[in-house]
Amino acid sequence: MNQQITPELRQWIVDQAQAGHSAEAVVKSMLASGWAEEVAVEAMESTLRGHLEEKAIEKAIEKGLPPSVAVPEPRLEESPLYVDAGDRRVYVLQSMRDPHVVVFGNLLSDQECDELIALARPRLARSLTVATKTGGEEINADRTSNGMFFQRGEHPLVKRVEERIARLVNWPEENGEGLQVLHYQPGTEYKPHYDYFDPVEPGTPTILKRGGQRVATLVMYLGEPEKGGGTTFPDVRLEVAPKRGNAVFFTYDRAHPSTKTLHGGAPVLAGEKWIATKWLRERRFE
Ligand code: PD2
Ligand code: ZN
């Protein structure tokens, strides 16, 4: 007998399951009609899995979730201990799937961290965030650090770091925003937020004209505090230590809290914290 799993067989399995028959009973009746056991079990499993996936997609549409888009994926399938980022070996210290968070070690040398701080320091101003109501920039009370933006590629060091990041996370350099450097003094923090632009805000369509949505964030630690200042992910109770030279990377495939990428910079309790953030967009960011 032809033991192919046809659309008719799949439909029959779904009908049986919906009529309240257990998986075991359905497999039993398949065996009774001459199906080989492995084929029957595989047909059962793959059909129900496919059916559940379809239902999940329908549900997402019903709930009005924004569509899911492609995101940068560092090549971690074989659990490498490090990634060759072109001019540097970057260590993979930890990774999580949901939310998709990766902690990298040795992304920057101490000298690179110092040099980025020195280049940024004279240009610091109270941090602005993109004002999603208007599409402009505004001072944000939830972010008490001081910051500045580099233009993409504006300095040979900035360019080198950007090329390294593109190799590391497998995403075009042109899709990155300019690096942002932030300086936190004791008592300052960055309250939990999402980095994507909220689709319901009136300024968002204007922001998205330039490169589309943000789809990933890389926070690089340039200067470590003595206490506090970790990057927190409250939905999964994760806190990443702000160790100099290391970085935390996370992606969000839709502009929605279901990505579990709510994150914040915990208050710095002692010492100073410096970070450089690279936000990655869907498309070329000019
Ligand atoms: O300083 C941090 O750890 C932090 C926390 C949350 C940075 C950002 N967000 C960011 O730059 O988006
Ligand atoms: Zn953030």
Side-chain angles (χ1 to χ4, degrees):
M1 128 174 213
N2 177 9
Q3 302 239 305
Q4 280 207 349
I5 306 170
T6 59
E8 290 74 25
L9 175 62
R10 290 190 190 286
Q11 190 54 53
W12 179 80
I13 292 174
V14 170
D15 292 345
Q16 297 305 302
Q18 279 173 347
H21 300 294
S22 70
E24 212 182 357
V26 177
V27 169
K28 238 184 191 165
S29 55
M30 287 176 74
L31 296 184
S33 2
W35 288 86
E37 186 163 8
E38 313 91 77
V39 182
V41 169
E42 168 57 23
M44 179 78 206
E45 284 179 355
S46 65
T47 301
L48 293 185
R49 207 180 309 125
H51 185 68
L52 288 177
E53 275 161 17
E54 265 171 39
K55 286 276 159 230
I57 292 167
E58 278 168 23
K59 219 172 181 181
I61 293 168
E62 255 170 46
K63 277 196 197 157
L65 289 183
S68 149
V69 298
V71 297
E73 289 283 350
R75 295 191 177 88
L76 304 182
E77 306 80 27
E78 296 184 302
S79 302
L81 264 70
Y82 59 83
V83 175
D84 172 9
D87 63 344
R88 199 168 173 85
R89 262 189 188 182
V90 176
Y91 288 87
V92 181
L93 300 182
Q94 210 161 43
S95 71
M96 183 184 249
R97 200 58 242 188
D98 184 27
H100 193 198
V101 178
V102 183
V103 181
F104 290 114
N106 194 46
L107 173 54
L108 299 172
S109 69
D110 284 351
Q111 199 193 332
E112 288 170 333
C113 291
D114 287 342
E115 205 178 329
L116 284 171
I117 292 174
L119 289 169
R121 195 189 286 276
R123 290 162 60 179
L124 292 180
R126 178 78 191 268
S127 294
L128 299 174
T129 45
V130 178
T132 44
K133 301 234 176 323
T134 61
E137 283 191 320
E138 64 187 1
I139 287 194
N140 183 340
D142 288 344
R143 185 159 164 186
T144 47
S145 55
N146 287 314
M148 58 76 69
F149 271 99
F150 286 110
Q151 292 287 320
R152 206 170 55 218
E154 80 160 67
H155 183 277
L157 171 61
V158 170
K159 174 82 182 142
R160 185 164 90 223
V161 169
E162 288 171 337
E163 286 170 358
R164 192 180 296 162
I165 295 170
R167 287 276 298 253
L168 178 67
V169 304
N170 215 359
W171 201 248
E173 205 178 316
E174 314 80 74
N175 295 19
E177 297 181 27
L179 272 184
Q180 184 186 49
V181 174
L182 291 184
H183 178 211
Y184 297 83
Q185 274 164 329
T188 63
E189 67 181 307
Y190 195 170
K191 297 240 172 79
H193 60 272
Y194 298 97
D195 281 354
Y196 55 74
F197 301 107
D198 189 340
V200 308
E201 291 289 350
T204 294
T206 309
I207 298 167
L208 299 190
K209 281 189 193 143
R210 211 175 154 204
Q213 262 293 0
R214 284 179 175 164
V215 289
T217 306
L218 178 76
V219 176
M220 298 174 279
Y221 305 108
L222 307 179
E224 57 189 48
E226 280 125 50
K227 282 184 194 163
T231 304
T232 60
F233 293 82
D235 290 345
V236 287
R237 299 187 178 189
L238 172 67
E239 179 166 337
V240 178
K243 171 133 186 60
R244 179 177 164 89
N246 289 3
V248 61
F249 176 69
F250 53 98
T251 66
Y252 21 101
D253 65 353
R254 47 166 60 96
H256 194 268
S258 60
T259 56
K260 302 184 191 164
T261 55
L262 182 68
H263 65 286
V268 171
L269 302 177
E272 293 177 17
K273 173 186 174 189
W274 287 84
I275 60 163
T277 300
K278 173 63 89 177
W279 286 290
L280 303 175
R281 299 288 189 105
E282 287 176 90
R283 295 182 286 282
R284 181 177 255 277
F285 179 81
E286 289 308 343

